[in-house]
Amino acid sequence: MRSARVFIEERALEYPLGKELWDRFSARGPAPTLIGSHNRVGLPSLKGFKAYAEAKRTLVVGVRKTLSFQSCKPSAHYQLPLVTSCPGMCEYCYLMTTLGPRPYVRVYVNLDEILGRALDYVEKRAPEVTVFEGAATSDPLPLETLTGALAKVITAFGRTALARFRFATKDDGVGPLLDLPHEGHTEVRFSLNTRTVIRRHEHRVPDLERRVAAAARTAAAGYPVGFLIAPIILDSDWRADYGDLLEELATALREAGLPGGTPPTTFELITHRFTPKAKQTIRGIFPGTTLPLDETRRRWKMGQFGYGKYLYRAEEMEEVRSFFEERIAALFPEAKILYLV
Ligand code: SF4
């Protein structure tokens, strides 16, 4: 991540990592500013896209105070908060709505406390296995060279029989993770999309080739890998484009020389959907977006938490389902589709 400005919480300097980051940024820039709380950050007074883009280039180094982890059903038992937000600028990102006015990137220096708390949770749930999700409010991988947080968790969980970790990423900086003693306890899920969707709607994230290559290297290092294809956007060429994506992925995994060709992997498939609030937020930040946000072409569905979303119509969903089930079965015989929504 190339930050335009760095804020460091005073308390963070009491931790070795906070001190190290202070020294690092003081020596190489941008010069860090000391702040009292990582929740109170002074940013340039801007609006819309400019405000969002500047916030995403702002790094805040702080101490994570809340050490009770939120639940993360159904994919994991708990969230594991190592980072908040990410430097990417995807137009459809749900964090735009959930992080509201504070989309800047936050890393935490009290990693031993966070990890210690995670291991307490594991102990309490024994003899059951406890699964933690590391990407519920972030993409943690682009920040790994700053904090080493993922390496710490992966190594500790590798030593803990009942702990499992999973995170999703659009980044390709997997190098520092490849030789860790993960013992198969961490699953890395790569978030992919067609070249068209990436070109139109994803910004400041690695391109498809780099993500696919990173996935192949990660699988070759023995990690369980998964693929998150989201949001699936049904433009006029979607069948050809998603077909190409799956073929390219299968080829890369085969060429990685894994025993048995493609590994037993998982797919999570999420079609594009939006809430009225998300549409308003997206239009406020990306006024020229070409995301398909026309309600008249969608079906409205009320959710269990009291708010509704616009989904693709039932017949389109059926088409998507049979397309992906067929292609994935043909190209990845060992793979499992965890869900398609
Ligand atoms: S990489 Fe993920 S977390 Fe970051 S902006 Fe894109 S969708 Fe959001």
Side-chain angles (χ1 to χ4, degrees):
M1 171 181 177
R2 251 186 261 137
S3 310
R5 61 193 70 75
V6 175
F7 294 94
I8 301 191
E9 200 179 15
E10 279 164 15
R11 272 190 60 209
L13 297 181
E14 295 166 17
Y15 293 79
L17 178 59
K19 184 76 181 57
E20 186 188 317
L21 292 173
W22 173 266
D23 291 343
R24 180 167 165 176
F25 285 111
S26 298
R28 291 195 228 153
T33 305
L34 266 190
I35 51 172
S37 159
H38 69 253
N39 291 320
R40 283 195 298 276
V41 174
L43 289 176
S45 161
L46 298 164
K47 287 213 173 341
F49 176 82
K50 283 189 178 155
Y52 191 70
E54 284 307 314
K56 287 287 196 145
R57 295 173 67 220
T58 300
L59 175 71
V60 179
V61 177
V63 177
R64 175 95 193 177
K65 289 184 200 76
T66 317
L67 290 179
S68 53
F69 302 159
Q70 289 190 33
S71 83
C72 197
K73 299 242 161 74
S75 60
H77 296 100
Y78 299 103
Q79 300 183 8
L80 185 52
L82 302 172
V83 174
T84 301
S85 190
C86 101
M89 296 264 295
C90 305
E91 295 174 10
Y92 52 76
C93 181
Y94 72 102
L95 294 180
M96 256 186 277
T97 338
T98 54
L99 297 179
R102 291 185 297 170
Y104 46 79
V105 182
R106 272 159 278 176
V107 297
Y108 304 108
V109 295
N110 52 333
L111 294 173
D112 288 329
E113 291 166 10
I114 296 170
L115 182 57
R117 182 53 65 95
L119 295 174
D120 288 346
Y121 279 96
V122 175
E123 209 176 295
K124 277 199 197 111
R125 283 182 36 84
E128 301 293 322
V129 166
T130 304
V131 185
F132 294 85
E133 168 61 61
T137 59
S138 69
D139 182 339
L141 191 53
L143 284 310
E144 182 62 9
T145 50
L146 279 184
T147 66
L150 290 172
K152 212 176 236 294
V153 173
I154 291 169
T155 305
F157 279 27
R159 289 193 296 260
T160 311
L162 297 176
R164 297 291 180 275
F165 183 47
R166 63 201 307 265
F167 67 92
T169 186
K170 283 191 173 69
D171 198 45
D172 65 338
V174 293
L177 311 184
L178 297 180
D179 295 328
L180 298 174
H182 58 78
E183 307 303 332
H185 292 182
T186 292
E187 182 192 17
V188 187
R189 290 130 68 227
F190 290 88
S191 171
L192 306 177
N193 220 313
T194 67
R195 283 198 172 74
T196 309
V197 172
I198 291 173
R199 191 182 66 247
R200 286 184 186 154
H201 308 300
E202 297 183 0
H203 315 287
R204 297 189 191 167
V205 287
D207 63 22
L208 181 63
E209 284 82 354
R210 285 171 53 187
R211 285 183 231 172
V212 167
R217 290 171 72 203
T218 308
Y223 280 91
V225 292
F227 299 99
L228 191 63
I229 303 186
I232 296 169
I233 292 184
L234 306 185
D235 55 21
S236 53
D237 294 326
W238 72 266
R239 288 176 203 75
D241 288 349
Y242 284 104
D244 288 351
L245 167 64
L246 292 171
E247 277 186 26
E248 191 170 332
L249 181 59
T251 305
L253 292 178
R254 264 199 312 274
E255 288 175 356
L258 299 159
T262 58
T265 182
T266 58
F267 282 88
E268 293 162 85
L269 306 168
I270 307 175
T271 53
H272 182 250
R273 67 250 345 269
F274 59 94
T275 61
K277 183 162 189 268
K279 175 174 174 172
Q280 194 188 11
T281 307
I282 293 167
R283 284 268 165 86
I285 296 172
F286 299 99
T289 186
T290 55
L291 277 172
L293 298 171
D294 177 358
E295 299 86 346
T296 64
R297 302 176 68 87
R298 298 297 183 107
R299 142 178 95 96
W300 172 256
K301 188 175 175 208
M302 205 58 201
Q304 52 176 322
F305 302 112
Y307 63 89
K309 297 175 188 195
Y310 290 102
L311 311 176
Y312 282 115
R313 294 182 181 136
E315 59 278 16
E316 292 171 310
M317 289 298 294
E318 245 344 280
E319 219 185 313
V320 172
R321 181 173 300 282
S322 59
F323 172 85
F324 277 97
E325 283 179 355
E326 225 173 79
R327 294 296 172 98
I328 288 173
L331 290 164
F332 305 87
E334 303 289 326
K336 189 167 166 199
I337 298 178
L338 296 183
Y339 55 85
L340 190 158
V341 291

